[in-house]
Amino acid sequence: GLAMALSNLSCRLAGEDRLKEALAADEESAEIYTGLAARIPGYLPELCMAINNHSAHLSAADLVDEALC
């Protein structure tokens, strides 16, 4: 779905050092997965993956404090 596509896009963007765009895609993916996981607990692993990717991309962008929150 859209959330997975955004997660994949964020990883590709981060790989090209387009971290600002990657972070935006991460946030949108995590937002979608949050809504899905609230209704369908089976989406929790995908939500965790999206949050983990976001944290890694924040760290890569030297935004470590935000990555730890």
Side-chain angles (χ1 to χ4, degrees):
L2 177 59
M4 180 59 70
L6 287 165
S7 184
N8 291 338
L9 176 63
S10 75
C11 290
R12 288 181 184 252
L13 290 168
E16 296 175 4
D17 277 339
R18 296 168 60 186
L19 295 172
K20 185 175 181 178
E21 294 164 284
L23 290 170
D26 283 334
E27 289 173 9
E28 192 169 350
S29 175
E31 185 176 316
I32 292 168
Y33 278 130
T34 297
L36 287 169
R39 294 187 313 273
I40 306 166
Y43 278 100
L44 283 171
E46 286 84 357
L47 174 58
C48 292
M49 176 195 61
I51 292 170
N52 184 63
N53 286 346
H54 188 61
S55 179
H57 297 152
L58 284 167
S59 181
D62 204 26
L63 299 170
V64 176
D65 289 339
E66 288 87 342
L68 297 175
C69 294

